[in-house]
Amino acid sequence: MSDMTSTADAPRSPGRPRSVRADEAIIEATLDLLAEGSTIEALSIEAIASRAGVGKATIYRRWAGKDALLLDALRRLKGILPQPAGHSVRDDLVLLVGAVGHNIDPRAAKIMPCLVPEVNRSPDHFQLYQNIIEPRRQMMREVLRRGIRTGELRADLDVEVTMALLAGPMLIQRMLRWHPELDDLILPEKVVDAVLEGVRAR
């Protein structure tokens, strides 16, 4: 066993900070293996530990199991969701819609499309996806509800359906490149403006 593994796996005394370097190595190893074609089902703690250069015990001290580790790794892949300024419902929606399906990590282009069939096959993987995406939905939900309260949006607005109308076009375009001539830079504004035409207060 390497010195790094031995040091990482040594029992920690109370209060000793855990190694940020080991955390990073484990997350990166998980994403690399997924990007190289490993399915969630086939991905093992042993393989992650080997790629990261740590022992399995190092991983289990940080995460309760593979699903907890995957949750953190995929959250990292999606990046930090931008925070709405709260001044304009339209501007906040453009910001949030622009983040749908957008990932700064190039590995996402290989990982995210491959997760779709696994999410559909496995209730556990479906729940994992929901845990990742729900905070993003909640932020959009809050912007829409604020618009209802301020009178900018219809009082009878179906918030959940409106979120689907806003997110759907971005997902299909960014994951499948459904229409290669659509401009990704202005598409969020076009989607938001089209949906707002139907949901604005009259």
Side-chain angles (χ1 to χ4, degrees):
M1 186 177 292
S2 68
D3 290 341
M4 178 182 173
T5 304
S6 301
T7 301
D9 285 344
R12 285 193 290 139
S13 57
R16 175 184 168 190
R18 77 189 207 181
S19 167
V20 174
R21 186 175 67 172
D23 289 2
E24 290 290 326
I26 293 164
I27 292 287
E28 288 298 306
T30 303
L31 293 175
D32 282 344
L33 289 167
L34 289 171
E36 290 166 12
S38 176
T39 64
I40 291 178
E41 204 66 50
L43 188 66
S44 68
I45 293 295
E46 289 83 355
I48 296 168
S50 176
R51 174 64 67 92
V54 301
K56 288 193 296 181
T58 301
I59 296 177
Y60 284 119
R61 276 204 301 273
R62 289 159 167 77
W63 291 277
K66 186 173 77 172
D67 283 352
L69 171 54
L70 280 169
L71 183 61
D72 280 354
L74 294 175
R75 279 175 175 159
R76 166 79 66 83
L77 188 69
K78 292 199 69 62
I80 298 171
L81 188 64
Q83 299 297 308
H87 303 309
S88 159
V89 168
R90 179 191 180 274
D91 290 349
D92 288 349
L93 289 176
V94 169
L95 183 73
L96 296 177
V97 168
V100 173
H102 176 71
N103 305 282
I104 58 173
D105 191 318
R107 290 172 295 190
K110 296 179 179 178
I111 294 173
M112 299 309 292
C114 296
L115 293 182
V116 174
E118 297 198 43
V119 164
N120 289 331
R121 280 197 302 263
S122 164
D124 290 339
H125 298 161
F126 175 78
Q127 189 56 53
L128 176 69
Y129 171 75
Q130 293 301 318
N131 290 342
I132 294 168
I133 215 71
E134 176 55 27
R136 295 167 178 265
R137 276 198 303 257
Q138 182 57 27
M139 193 170 288
M140 189 179 291
R141 195 177 282 127
E142 289 169 0
V143 171
L144 292 170
R145 287 174 177 165
R146 189 183 80 230
I148 295 171
R149 289 195 303 271
T150 60
E152 295 172 76
L153 303 179
R154 287 167 30 190
D156 64 345
L157 179 67
D158 188 322
V159 170
E160 304 304 316
V161 170
T162 303
M163 288 196 297
L165 291 171
L166 290 165
M170 297 306 302
L171 284 173
I172 194 171
Q173 180 64 17
R174 286 181 168 163
M175 291 186 70
L176 300 178
R177 299 303 300 167
W178 180 77
H179 193 329
E181 294 183 12
L182 289 176
D183 186 343
D184 251 19
L185 294 178
I186 61 173
L187 186 57
E189 291 187 53
K190 287 184 171 293
V191 169
V192 169
D193 287 340
V195 173
L196 283 179
E197 278 300 307
V199 300
R200 278 198 182 99
R202 302 298 181 189

